[in-house]
Amino acid sequence: MRKTVLRAAGATVSLGIALAIPVVLARRADLPVSALLALPLAAHLLAALALFVEVGGRAARIVVFARALKVPLRWSTAWIAQLAGDSAGTVTPSRSGTEPAKMLAMRRDGGKVGGLAAIAVGETAFEALGLLAIGLALAVFVDGGGAIALAIGTYAGVVLTVIAGLLLFAGQGAQRRPVPRWWTKVGLRHGRWRLLERTSRDFRERAGALRHIPRRYVAGAVGATFLHQAARAATFPALVWATTMEPGLDWVALTLRPFGLLYLGSLLPPPGGGGGIEMGFVAVLGDALGPDQLPVLLLWWRVYTHLLTAVIGAGLLLQLWAGRARARSAREREQFPESLDREESVEREPAALHSPDGPGPA
């Protein structure tokens, strides 16, 4: 309980710092805090459209992998999984809670852990490979694109390294071997070790099958990946265009620099970046926008790339946990109906004995 409270406090402080930076920038520019909320309706509509396409592209990608691996997954569950992952990633260090939250949501359709983990690996790998392709194109064809390519390439390299380590670990866990001594010393049972072995074997088989999926699924995953990445890159320029309508802006910088910050900031340890993304934003875009525009656009860019999906995903996660708790309670009642009824009757009897009217008639 104490660890949970400390983690929640740390996430709150980190996100509070991130939200405080636009306020400080507004005060330095002699803007009232209320000016941060003054965003044209057109800007909201364009940013919301970009967000819808971005999340939809990610949802389509995991549906493609689920179909390729014959894992049951509905479209609605794919949307819920992405939003739940965004919520967990926002409040966990280096977005480490993203994939577990996605898998928790995908379990609602009955898929096994091994297959769902393979979907997560395939989705994440395609994301990283897509970023490597984009980074290579930026470094070759865009003047000054080397720094942005380095940012997203760093993120992709870290992700692919983690995936390789996970596959190596799963390969070791999939081998049939005696239960290690440290496993029992920490209080875990033999059955859980065998379950881990079976899950690892299932994961290895499913992940290995990703190398042989039909080309139409590969094309679908590639298309969904670039669709969501294009929508993510378009969020900030859409906000700028609908807000300022100024000619002569450096649209390449306004598109690519925030895009690179999104991914590089995901590697920062503090939940939500701890203000590091905002400080990087000021450093790379302070010369492209006026001091009266920067804080407003920074705040709403943060809302449409992080906070909005985090809030929606938090509500969905609460619904998932509540549904699982109700299902677990129903299973327990089906297995032990007599003992549960007996416990309820014992709890009611003392209340009847101490009522003003005394115990009822026999």
Side-chain angles (χ1 to χ4, degrees), residues 215-305:
R215 292 181 180 179
R216 65 179 184 276
Y217 291 116
V218 175
V222 170
T225 296
F226 283 102
L227 176 66
H228 100 79
Q229 289 175 343
R232 179 170 287 183
T235 302
F236 189 72
L239 287 170
V240 174
W241 180 81
T243 302
T244 64
M245 300 282 187
E246 292 183 5
L249 292 175
D250 188 355
W251 292 105
V252 174
L254 294 175
T255 301
L256 298 179
R257 290 177 184 176
F259 182 72
L261 282 173
L262 272 176
Y263 286 100
L264 190 61
S266 299
L267 300 177
L268 296 176
I277 297 177
E278 280 71 17
M279 296 305 297
F281 196 101
V282 174
V284 302
L285 287 173
D287 59 342
L289 296 168
D292 58 332
Q293 300 169 342
L294 185 62
V296 179
L297 294 170
L298 172 57
L299 174 65
W300 287 105
W301 174 75
R302 184 66 147 164
V303 167
Y304 281 106
T305 56

Side-chain angles (χ1 to χ4, degrees), residues 56-118:
R58 287 189 283 136
R61 186 171 55 198
I62 62 173
V63 169
V64 167
F65 282 118
R67 299 289 187 273
L69 297 178
K70 296 180 174 56
V71 175
L73 186 71
R74 293 172 292 177
W75 274 96
S76 59
T77 301
W79 278 82
I80 293 172
Q82 294 296 350
L83 293 170
D86 289 349
S87 179
T90 300
V91 298
T92 52
S94 301
R95 299 187 63 85
S96 56
T98 300
E99 300 307 325
K102 287 181 184 179
M103 292 179 61
L104 173 66
M106 289 190 287
R107 286 290 301 274
R108 71 195 289 260
D109 286 351
K112 295 182 179 180
V113 174
L116 299 179

